[in-house]
Amino acid sequence: MKTTLSILFIFMCSLNGFAQKKWNTEVPKQIIIIRSTKSYDEALTTAKEASKQLGKKLDLRDLVPDAKIGLTWPEKLCKTGESDEKDFPYYPARGDGNADNDDYISVEYSDGYKGFAKGLYIVVAGITDVSGPAAEKQLAAVKKVYKDAYGKRAMIWYGPMD
């Protein structure tokens, strides 16, 4: 009986080790982009219109424009510990940490994504897997309204945000 329990315990521990290998890494995702612009005001106007046109929630994630890094959480959120970060300014790129697929409208800053052109506010309509029927369906729905919308591949951080 002790041998069986020991083997079961070792097996359970090894499964946990395999699961951890997928943590603390980057995973490929598709960012659905409606518009890119150097103007935050233009991006915000487009995001509000897209929310209405597409019937999707607008979530700005409490981000505000920042001359130094493009977007940031307000200093109050950073300094009071309401966020995971204490430093100000701080921009958490959409998707970082959980790398989940999502389906809402936001304004993001291109510098937060590897391989994206720098210095642009991007209106994002969702994050999906890089390929597959769900990704194609989500992009096609956006393209019905925004013909120039496109999916851009990005590596999204999956792990703790420290």
Side-chain angles (χ1 to χ4, degrees), residues 108-121:
E108 303 300 324
Y109 200 62
S110 62
D111 291 27
Y113 300 95
K114 290 180 181 175
F116 281 31
K118 301 296 182 193
L120 299 171
Y121 295 98

Side-chain angles (χ1 to χ4, degrees), residues 6 9 46 81 123 145 147:
S6 296
F9 178 74
T46 300
V123 180
V145 179
K147 305 286 185 225

